[in-house]
Amino acid sequence: RGGKTGQAGNPLRRSRVMSQYVTRATGIASKALDAAKTKVVPPAVEWYTGLMARNAQYVVTDPVAVEKLGKQMVFSNMAKLPAAVQAAQGEMRVVQQKWNGRMDLPMAEVGTAALFSAEVYAWFCVGEIVGRGGGLTGY
């Protein structure tokens, strides 16, 4: 009989070894729980209490007002869209003016536009690589 085979087959020994593992795991879990109770929870509760005390003016307690908050946020942000569209249209007009006068642009501005375009393309390529899992094979 080999040493390991004889020991592994002994149910009493296996039970004793498992009992030791369970006791050790229980002790480790108990220490972790004590550490969490003394070193994690009190600072977290203190931080939360301080945060809520500093921002008490922003807490809405009226249930009807709380019910409306989601819609208010959505529609308040949607009300900003016309201004954003106008700003985008203004920027598009500037780009169109530059495009129409492209033969009169200084070389510094043309070079800046070319570098910007190359950077946008490079970041697009990086995004494609990351989106495909980060591998360079299969292109």
Side-chain angles (χ1 to χ4, degrees), residues 1 3-14:
R1 291 185 103 178
K4 288 193 173 194
T5 308
Q7 291 174 358
N10 185 348
L12 185 57
R13 172 139 173 85
R14 275 192 308 211

Side-chain angles (χ1 to χ4, degrees), residues 18-102:
M18 287 301 291
S19 175
Q20 290 172 349
Y21 285 134
V22 168
T23 302
R24 188 180 304 162
T26 303
I28 291 171
S30 175
K31 287 178 184 177
L33 181 63
D34 289 342
K37 283 182 181 177
T38 59
K39 296 190 173 153
V40 176
V41 173
V45 169
E46 182 180 329
W47 173 82
Y48 174 78
T49 305
L51 178 72
M52 293 307 290
R54 286 189 306 274
N55 294 293
Q57 64 187 1
Y58 302 114
V59 176
V60 178
T61 56
D62 180 24
V64 176
V66 170
E67 187 70 31
K68 294 190 319 188
L69 284 176
K71 287 185 179 182
Q72 285 176 335
M73 183 188 77
V74 169
F75 290 108
S76 294
N77 286 326
M78 285 181 69
K80 297 175 186 176
L81 286 178
V85 169
Q86 284 180 340
Q89 288 172 341
E91 289 181 22
M92 191 61 195
R93 279 192 294 276
V94 170
V95 170
Q96 284 175 339
Q97 289 171 354
K98 290 211 182 254
W99 182 255
N100 291 336
R102 65 185 174 273

Side-chain angles (χ1 to χ4, degrees), residues 118-131 136 139:
E119 183 181 3
V120 168
Y121 179 71
W123 282 113
F124 170 77
C125 291
V126 168
E128 283 291 310
I129 291 169
V130 169
L136 293 175
Y139 282 93

